[in-house]
């Protein structure tokens, strides 16, 4: 049963430290469980710089038992500025104590279908015995059209039930070729946290969180079957919501 919390912060700056504490608390919880490791899925967009800055500001970050994957990735070389891995490598992964083989990257030299299969294989090898990889925490963004990962409105990939990772050739947002985790993987996670800031997100957030006309938008289809669902918003993004939200005080555990 999914528990959903909508957490609103005065500004993106005040949300940042709370996001870092969320990652660190879920990491400690996972590493002290029988799994003895913490699996984290990352997304691109504005999350890259916020998360990197805030995790590096933590006084006691220990990422030696982390496994990091990507909720979606653009099929471009790592040195290309569109590469989500490339951005995280520069801003975060090269600055923390994470073993190189604990970062699950796509192979951008493969054609997109093979790239998705190769990444799916990496996930299944990293999560042996699990039909669908169960991440401890997935961090997601949401576009103004309601997309998340590379799952776009009205796209057939929303109906994917067999693959854990799917290729996409016709992403409406460039670059067009990408690979993405599918909804079964996203919804199997122990915790999914969306990070969404800015007034431009207000209308789509109302639609996603409170419902609206037409089929549910991709972000509204993220409902972890066993896990927690958190929405971290700033006040401008939450401005149109009528539902009950929480406003965590500074320093609160999430
Ligand atoms: O691959 C991409 O094109 C981006 O990663 C994209 O999916 C992003 O996550 C959302 O558009 C939210 O981005 P913002 O949080 O920066 O608005």
């Amino acid at each position: 049963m999914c528990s959903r919390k909508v957490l609103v912060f005065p500004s993106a700056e005040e949300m940042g430290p709370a996001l870092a504490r969320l990652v660190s608390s879920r990491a400690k919880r996972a590493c002290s469980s029988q799994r003895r490791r913490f699996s984290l899925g990352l997304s691109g967009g504005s999350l890259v710089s916020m998360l990197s800055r805030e995790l590096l500001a933590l006084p006691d970050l220990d990422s030696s038992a982390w496994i990091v994957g990507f909720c979606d990735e653009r099929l471009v070389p790592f040195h290309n500025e569109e590469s989500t891995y490339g951005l995280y490598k520069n801003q975060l992964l090269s600055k923390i104590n994470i073993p190189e083989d604990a970062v699950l990257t796509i192979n951008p030299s493969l054609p997109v279908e093979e790239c998705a299969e190769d990444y799916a294989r990496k996930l299944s090898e990293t999560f042996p015995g699990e039909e669908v990889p169960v991440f401890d925490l997935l961090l997601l963004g949401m576009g103004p059209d309601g997309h998340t990962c590379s799952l776009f409105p009205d796209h057939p990939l929303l109906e994917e039930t067999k693959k854990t990772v799917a290729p996409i050739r016709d992403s409406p947002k460039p670059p067009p070729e990408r690979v993405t985790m599918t909804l079964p993987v996203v919804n199997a996670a122990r915790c999914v946290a969306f990070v969404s800031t800015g007034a431009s997100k207000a209308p789509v957030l109302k639609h996603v969180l409170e419902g609206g006309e037409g089929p549910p938008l991709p972000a509204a289809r993220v409902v972890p079957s066993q896990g927690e669902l958190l929405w971290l918003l700033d006040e401008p993004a939450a401005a149109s919501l009528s539902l009950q939200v929480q406003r965590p005080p500074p320093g609160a555990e999430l």
Side-chain angles (χ1 to χ4, degrees):
M1 182 62 185
C2 167
S3 70
R4 181 178 83 176
K5 282 188 201 159
V6 180
L7 306 167
V8 180
F9 299 84
S11 66
E13 289 66 38
E14 282 152 286
M15 177 200 294
L19 172 65
R21 283 197 309 280
L22 170 71
V23 175
S24 136
S25 82
R26 295 310 185 271
K28 283 184 185 139
R29 189 185 292 175
C31 291
S32 57
S33 75
Q34 282 186 342
R35 299 188 295 286
R36 304 222 158 273
R37 68 176 200 184
F38 170 58
S39 48
L40 172 66
L42 301 174
S43 299
S46 57
L47 181 68
V48 183
S49 52
M50 181 194 285
L51 183 68
S52 302
R53 185 179 63 244
E54 301 295 344
L55 284 181
L56 293 175
L58 287 176
D60 56 352
L61 184 73
D62 176 10
S63 45
S64 56
W66 290 18
I67 305 276
V68 168
F70 294 86
C71 300
D72 67 333
E73 180 57 287
R74 300 142 172 208
L75 192 63
V76 294
F78 294 150
H79 58 76
N80 185 308
E81 60 184 22
E82 298 269 22
S83 164
T84 300
Y85 165 70
L87 293 172
Y88 276 109
K89 169 98 180 150
N90 288 339
Q91 295 183 40
L92 178 66
L93 298 169
S94 60
K95 301 178 182 176
I96 60 176
N97 62 334
I98 184 164
E100 213 166 300
D101 63 0
V103 181
L104 307 175
T105 55
I106 64 158
N107 178 348
S109 65
L110 295 172
V112 69
E113 280 84 8
E114 285 169 46
C115 180
E117 282 169 21
D118 174 71
Y119 190 59
R121 185 184 47 73
K122 284 183 186 159
L123 289 188
S124 74
E125 286 172 2
T126 307
F127 294 81
E130 296 178 21
E131 200 176 328
V132 170
V134 179
F135 275 81
D136 291 305
L137 176 61
L138 296 180
L139 297 177
L140 300 182
M142 180 186 65
D145 57 353
H147 86 262
T148 189
C149 301
S150 288
L151 301 168
F152 290 88
D154 302 321
H155 196 282
L157 276 189
L158 291 170
E159 307 310 325
E160 179 61 55
T161 55
K162 295 202 172 62
K163 292 177 181 160
T164 55
V165 177
I168 172 164
R169 282 185 171 284
D170 56 356
S171 165
K173 184 176 176 188
E177 291 197 325
R178 295 152 171 255
V179 300
T180 183
M181 286 183 189
T182 57
L183 283 171
V185 179
V186 174
N187 284 333
R190 291 187 182 86
C191 180
V192 177
F194 279 93
V195 177
S196 215
T197 59
S200 67
K201 299 287 169 64
V204 70
L205 271 167
K206 188 161 183 69
H207 192 288
V208 165
L209 293 176
E210 297 181 1
E213 301 219 331
L217 290 169
R221 300 181 60 155
V222 175
V223 186
S225 51
Q226 309 287 332
E228 314 171 80
L229 175 59
L230 305 178
W231 281 86
L232 276 61
L233 309 176
D234 65 357
E235 287 289 358
S240 304
L241 296 179
S242 324
L243 54 73
Q244 204 176 358
V245 302
Q246 298 177 28
R247 291 187 167 77
E253 281 299 321
L254 303 184

